[in-house]
Amino acid sequence: MAYFDAASGVPLHPVARQALLAALDEGWADPARLHKEGRRARLLLDAARETTAEAVGCRPDEVTFTPSGTLAVHSGIAGALAGRRRTGRHLIVSAVEHSSVLHSAEAHEADGGTVTRVPVDRGGLVAAASYEAALREDTALACLQSANHEVGTEQPVAGVAEVCRAAGVPLLVDAAQSLGWGPVEGDWSLLTASAHKWGGPPGVGLLVVRKGVRFAPRKPVDERESGRAAGFENIPAIVAAAAALRAVRAEAAAEAVRLRELTERIRARVPRLVPDVEVVGDPVRRLPGIVTFSCLYVDGEALLHELDREGFSVSSGSSCTSSTLTPSHVLKAMGVLSSGNVRVSLPPGTPEEDVERFLEALPGAVARVREKLGAPAGEPAPVREDALVVDALGKRCPIPVIELAKVFKDVPVGGTVRVLADDEAARLDIPAWCEMRGQEYVGEEPADGGSAHVVRRLS
Amino acid sequence: MAYFDAASGVPLHPVARQALLAALDEGWADPARLHKEGRRARLLLDAARETTAEAVGCRPDEVTFTPSGTLAVHSGIAGALAGRRRTGRHLIVSAVEHSSVLHSAEAHEADGGTVTRVPVDRGGLVAAASYEAALREDTALACLQSANHEVGTEQPVAGVAEVCRAAGVPLLVDAAQSLGWGPVEGDWSLLTASAHKWGGPPGVGLLVVRKGVRFAPRKPVDERESGRAAGFENIPAIVAAAAALRAVRAEAAAEAVRLRELTERIRARVPRLVPDVEVVGDPVRRLPGIVTFSCLYVDGEALLHELDREGFSVSSGSSCTSSTLTPSHVLKAMGVLSSGNVRVSLPPGTPEEDVERFLEALPGAVARVREKLGAPAGEPAPVREDALVVDALGKRCPIPVIELAKVFKDVPVGGTVRVLADDEAARLDIPAWCEMRGQEYVGEEPADGGSAHVVRRLS
């Protein structure tokens, strides 16, 4: 088996495992207690905080350990918004943030706040100028990921921090995907991360609040973690998380070069090995280990199962919403094909042979899924009477786009075809198909029981 | 060293340690993922949920794993209140709940809700009739601990659940201190607990919401744990927690008998070994392993350090507020002496010899603290000119009560003495001293820079 889903989580780093076992013996007691066991636990907690602060590039008293990266984001956004409530209730996020950030934004809206979602380009990249344009008198907080979790695109955090700083607005950076690779550059105000992404155990998130940043933790709180994260500290896991961070950082520079070469290989070869594939995400500004591509005429879940049977564990579509099967909000915001989406995220240490085996197995896996779905092959499909209207109502993507492709050769150049569909993903996939094929997407019209997507043949 | 602070937390049970190590290998991946590693993690999570449900006595789909007992309480109270918001915003808690419950109640009040705090008797016990009397048309939720964390008193949960059920009000039971000993009886609606209290690892809390109970989780949430606990599940710790619960339950009946005998020994012998001691908590309805007593003329923190030097780890005063040094809200609600408070909570497996050694060491430790503080000894103190006014302004308890005792023999029977004090604990300790000594506490009057506590000599 080859596990290629590091962006979801990686196994415990061997160094972290050792640290965890030691800390289970030494650090199980309540660090708020005055007895020997309590003092010993507190020492371990203090040491882990120092190690972590050094890796982040901040002061130890700016570090709060939370029970997960998600809770770090939820608490960080809520606390920063509440701390600047007098300034206003406007929040800026990018359209491609992790769901935990977007959920916080939705909760803020439900509570009467306003939210601006900054768009991204086709590579998933935000522009500092877009953040600058979104800043208002009443902006309380801006949020930006250091790198995208689905496509690996690295965001211009330092530039965005600069425009925020100039406007006196704090910037919260979700560094979940990048902190293992290095500290986040720029003059950010808050930072969040998650230990199980860098080889630490689950159960540890990180919330860093720079001195001087106004912060009012959401109630109820207690006296733990300076009143910023309620509940008994998970010291063994925190100790292991800090040890893992130090260990992966020591290996990061060399491993980044190696993984970048492997993902570059996938980026370059997949489009040559598999017909009708779009590699997505910024080709240059990207994390070392992530590469994402979408395959036309393919159902993402079916492809994932096919690859799983072949011994490859990858992720498809949107992380954290894989169970809901809605198209990924990230791919949607980028305006790229969402069908047959595969995210390959290589854990540190991935052997080159595993990547080569993957490249060997992928074309067959995609072909089998396409065959099952009846996607267009080399042979022309028979001419049909109703060729100019494709009725894909009640059919889930990628069926509508497959049906479109089947009839398209029968459309005269300059003529149009109407695809009737009620699956929301058709809104993404039909325009994306047009872009890939150099055809014109005329637009969407209401139709009985769904929408009609009109496509004009240009060549 | 003898660790007698099990009510704060206990080391990982050996069975839990084994389960944790196995689950770190098998259960590190994201259970929301469809690949092999994800499915394996999900299977472990499902099995742990079933084991836990069996131990609680509920359905697996009623169990939510949270990152701590505190967060289970915070989420449980917030969700139950929000779920019944249409009924009203009145919350009932007992005066001796864990701080996590009281913090939730304070947050609810700050948000415009109303709270009734049900008093307890001198043993720390609530009466079902008091809950019945507190119930109102607009009561959304009642909360009651299964047993008190500071004095071990077991509450009449089944009776309180009955009066709540009759009024159509859900009862949330904080079972943190008792779940390892057995399921909570009665027809409760919600239940919370914390794994590190029963030998599981830190990082796992339990929130049980019975089917049919209206519950609206506080936003933001995600798709984890049925939308009731956001963030990546800590599966290795959850697996270990479930294994520990099963293991301690198997040993619970026999161990309860043994520990109850040991704590009974402490209850009976401490007052004979140490002068001026009050053993607090219900003598009959109590947890097997907890015994709490307060020593007149003693500073709790000094006694704790003295015992620590002798090799005994105990807790003093209020748990979870030990760092703030305010008098325990539990002892305050019970109206008992708070000075020199010691909670002995024996972990399962505590050897009898450790308890005997403790009983040998205690009298000397108390005597040394009293000596340092200049507490009254056998020798009469010299008569002083200002005998009838004791100026203890600016002095922290137990100094005010020690000064009172020093002059008291000079007060004629029927006469009064005024103790000037500004330490809040004097409000508890001077009346408690009067009760222990059979003297009359006349009352408190405002005085320059503090209060005057007036005491009349009756004998």
Side-chain angles (χ1 to χ4, degrees):
Chain A
M1 285 299 291
Y3 177 77
F4 287 171
D5 193 17
S8 288
V10 293
L12 197 60
H13 193 283
V15 167
R17 192 187 175 93
Q18 274 193 306
L20 181 70
L21 288 177
L24 282 167
D25 294 336
E26 297 287 315
W28 51 268
D30 184 344
R33 296 290 167 197
L34 302 172
H35 49 56
K36 189 177 74 108
E37 291 83 357
R39 296 195 304 271
R40 211 164 53 187
R42 197 157 57 248
L43 284 177
L44 287 177
L45 181 58
D46 291 345
R49 201 183 305 280
E50 277 177 35
T51 302
T52 305
E54 203 185 315
V56 170
C58 67
R59 294 165 41 156
D61 60 354
E62 294 173 335
V63 172
T64 297
F65 293 110
T66 67
S68 68
T70 293
L71 291 180
V73 165
H74 292 178
S75 305
I77 293 179
L81 285 172
R84 284 179 43 91
R85 191 165 172 143
R86 282 193 202 165
T87 301
R89 303 198 66 201
H90 178 235
L91 170 68
I92 304 174
V93 300
S94 89
V96 295
E97 295 299 311
H98 185 261
S99 56
S100 57
V101 173
L102 298 180
H103 291 153
S104 288
E106 286 157 21
H108 182 58
E109 280 178 316
D111 192 36
T114 53
V115 177
T116 298
R117 291 167 179 83
V118 172
V120 294
D121 70 10
R122 209 173 155 82
L125 203 67
V126 306
S130 309
Y131 270 75
E132 196 166 20
L135 286 163
R136 306 193 321 208
E137 278 293 306
D138 65 338
T139 303
L141 177 69
C143 301
L144 178 62
Q145 61 196 188
S146 56
N148 187 268
H149 50 299
E150 286 189 37
V151 300
T153 299
E154 286 182 324
Q155 302 292 358
V157 170
V160 172
E162 207 178 307
V163 303
C164 289
R165 181 67 63 175
V169 171
L171 177 70
L172 181 149
V173 178
D174 168 14
Q177 289 297 333
S178 77
L179 199 67
W181 294 111
V184 174
E185 291 182 1
D187 197 6
W188 46 266
S189 296
L190 301 102
L191 180 144
T192 59
S194 176
H196 76 101
K197 309 277 189 194
W198 71 60
V204 182
L206 209 61
L207 168 61
V208 180
V209 183
R210 290 276 196 206
K211 284 285 145 195
V213 173
R214 285 180 194 278
F215 194 86
R218 198 159 78 136
K219 302 285 175 68
V221 292
D222 58 20
E223 85 284 10
R224 310 270 172 186
E225 290 294 297
S226 312
R228 289 182 175 164
F232 192 80
E233 293 94 341
N234 190 346
I235 294 179
I238 288 170
V239 167
L245 185 54
R246 182 146 60 181
V248 297
R249 280 290 185 81
E251 307 150 359
E255 192 60 19
V257 171
R258 209 179 63 82
L259 289 190
R260 187 174 293 276
E261 194 280 316
L262 292 178
T263 48
E264 193 54 51
R265 206 180 289 192
I266 297 173
R267 289 187 71 89
R269 279 170 52 191
V270 162
R272 279 182 273 150
L273 291 166
V274 182
D276 296 324
V277 160
E278 182 177 10
V279 176
V280 297
D282 196 285
V284 179
R285 295 184 55 98
R286 62 186 188 84
L287 289 172
I290 299 185
V291 51
T292 303
F293 52 86
S294 296
C295 309
L296 206 54
Y297 314 138
V298 167
D299 168 34
E301 193 175 335
L303 180 55
L304 192 153
H305 284 305
E306 198 64 44
L307 288 168
D308 185 62
R309 268 194 291 275
E310 298 271 330
F312 299 98
S313 297
V314 298
S315 170
S316 176
S318 174
S319 63
C320 297
T321 53
S322 65
S323 55
T324 63
L325 294 173
T326 52
S328 147
H329 71 272
V330 172
L331 303 178
K332 204 166 165 175
M334 292 164 64
V336 295
L337 187 71
S338 74
S339 81
N341 181 259
V342 172
R343 175 184 71 186
V344 174
S345 54
L346 306 178
T350 300
E352 185 184 349
E353 307 84 80
D354 284 2
V355 171
E356 285 299 328
R357 283 201 300 114
F358 175 76
L359 288 169
E360 272 165 40
L362 182 69
V366 173
R368 281 192 296 280
V369 174
R370 284 179 174 164
E371 198 185 333
K372 270 182 219 156
L373 292 167
E379 287 300 302
V383 176
R384 292 173 1 176
E385 288 302 308
D386 60 346
L388 299 190
V389 174
V390 175
D391 183 358
L393 289 170
K395 289 178 184 158
R396 282 247 300 277
C397 271
I399 299 298
V401 80
I402 288 174
E403 297 291 326
L404 167 63
K406 275 185 187 168
V407 306
F408 203 72
K409 64 178 175 358
D410 302 322
V411 179
V413 171
T416 58
V417 55
R418 291 162 61 83
V419 185
L420 305 178
D422 51 10
D423 182 355
E424 213 214 322
R427 291 218 168 92
L428 302 176
D429 289 352
I430 295 175
W433 183 90
C434 293
E435 176 132 356
M436 287 173 78
R437 285 286 175 270
Q439 308 298 347
E440 183 190 355
Y441 181 70
V442 180
E444 182 182 341
E445 297 165 1
D448 202 26
S451 297
H453 297 273
V454 184
V455 176
R456 174 172 292 116
R457 182 163 179 177
L458 299 182
S459 57
Chain B
M1 285 298 291
Y3 178 76
F4 288 171
D5 194 16
S8 288
V10 293
L12 197 60
H13 193 285
V15 166
R17 191 186 175 92
Q18 273 194 306
L20 182 70
L21 288 178
L24 281 169
D25 294 335
E26 297 286 314
W28 51 268
D30 185 344
R33 295 290 165 197
L34 302 172
H35 48 56
K36 189 177 74 109
E37 291 82 358
R39 295 195 306 271
R40 212 165 53 187
R42 197 156 59 247
L43 284 176
L44 287 176
L45 181 59
D46 290 346
R49 200 183 305 279
E50 276 178 32
T51 302
T52 305
E54 202 185 316
V56 170
C58 68
R59 295 164 41 156
D61 60 354
E62 294 172 337
V63 172
T64 297
F65 293 110
T66 67
S68 69
T70 292
L71 292 180
V73 166
H74 291 178
S75 305
I77 293 179
L81 286 172
R84 283 178 43 89
R85 188 160 176 149
R86 281 192 204 165
T87 301
R89 303 199 64 200
H90 178 234
L91 169 68
I92 303 174
V93 300
S94 89
V96 295
E97 295 299 312
H98 185 262
S99 55
S100 58
V101 173
L102 298 180
H103 290 153
S104 289
E106 286 156 22
H108 182 57
E109 279 179 316
D111 191 37
T114 54
V115 177
T116 297
R117 290 167 179 84
V118 172
V120 295
D121 70 11
R122 208 173 157 82
L125 205 65
V126 305
S130 308
Y131 269 75
E132 197 166 19
L135 286 163
R136 306 192 322 208
E137 278 292 306
D138 65 338
T139 304
L141 177 69
C143 301
L144 178 62
Q145 60 196 187
S146 57
N148 187 270
H149 50 298
E150 286 190 37
V151 300
T153 299
E154 287 182 324
Q155 303 293 358
V157 170
V160 171
E162 207 177 308
V163 302
C164 289
R165 182 68 61 175
V169 171
L171 177 70
L172 181 148
V173 179
D174 169 16
Q177 288 297 333
S178 78
L179 200 66
W181 295 111
V184 174
E185 291 182 1
D187 197 6
W188 47 266
S189 296
L190 302 101
L191 181 144
T192 59
S194 176
H196 76 102
K197 309 279 190 193
W198 72 60
V204 183
L206 211 61
L207 168 61
V208 181
V209 183
R210 291 276 197 206
K211 285 283 144 196
V213 172
R214 282 180 196 278
F215 194 86
R218 195 158 80 135
K219 301 287 175 67
V221 291
D222 58 20
E223 85 284 10
R224 310 270 173 185
E225 291 295 297
S226 311
R228 288 181 175 163
F232 192 79
E233 294 94 343
N234 189 347
I235 294 180
I238 288 169
V239 167
L245 185 54
R246 181 144 65 181
V248 297
R249 280 290 186 80
E251 305 149 0
E255 193 59 20
V257 170
R258 209 179 64 80
L259 288 190
R260 187 173 292 277
E261 194 280 315
L262 292 179
T263 49
E264 192 55 51
R265 206 180 289 191
I266 298 173
R267 290 187 70 88
R269 280 170 52 192
V270 163
R272 280 183 272 151
L273 292 167
V274 182
D276 296 324
V277 160
E278 182 176 10
V279 176
V280 298
D282 196 285
V284 179
R285 295 184 54 99
R286 63 185 187 84
L287 288 172
I290 298 185
V291 51
T292 304
F293 51 86
S294 296
C295 309
L296 207 52
Y297 314 139
V298 167
D299 167 34
E301 191 175 335
L303 180 54
L304 192 153
H305 284 304
E306 198 65 45
L307 289 169
D308 185 61
R309 270 194 289 275
E310 298 271 331
F312 300 98
S313 297
V314 298
S315 169
S316 175
S318 172
S319 63
C320 297
T321 53
S322 64
S323 54
T324 63
L325 294 172
T326 53
S328 147
H329 71 272
V330 172
L331 303 176
K332 201 165 167 178
M334 292 164 64
V336 296
L337 188 70
S338 75
S339 81
N341 181 259
V342 172
R343 174 184 72 185
V344 175
S345 53
L346 307 178
T350 299
E352 184 184 351
E353 309 83 78
D354 283 2
V355 172
E356 285 299 328
R357 282 199 301 115
F358 176 74
L359 289 169
E360 274 165 39
L362 182 68
V366 173
R368 282 192 296 281
V369 174
R370 283 177 175 163
E371 200 185 332
K372 271 182 221 156
L373 291 167
E379 289 298 303
V383 176
R384 292 175 0 175
E385 288 300 306
D386 60 347
L388 298 189
V389 174
V390 175
D391 182 358
L393 289 169
K395 289 177 183 161
R396 281 248 301 276
C397 272
I399 299 298
V401 80
I402 288 174
E403 296 292 327
L404 167 62
K406 275 184 184 166
V407 305
F408 204 70
K409 63 178 177 357
D410 303 323
V411 179
V413 170
T416 58
V417 56
R418 292 163 60 82
V419 184
L420 305 179
D422 51 10
D423 182 355
E424 214 215 324
R427 292 217 168 91
L428 302 176
D429 289 353
I430 295 175
W433 182 91
C434 293
E435 175 132 356
M436 287 173 79
R437 285 285 176 272
Q439 309 296 347
E440 184 190 354
Y441 181 70
V442 179
E444 180 182 341
E445 296 166 1
D448 200 26
S451 297
H453 298 272
V454 184
V455 177
R456 176 173 290 116
R457 182 164 181 175
L458 300 182
S459 57

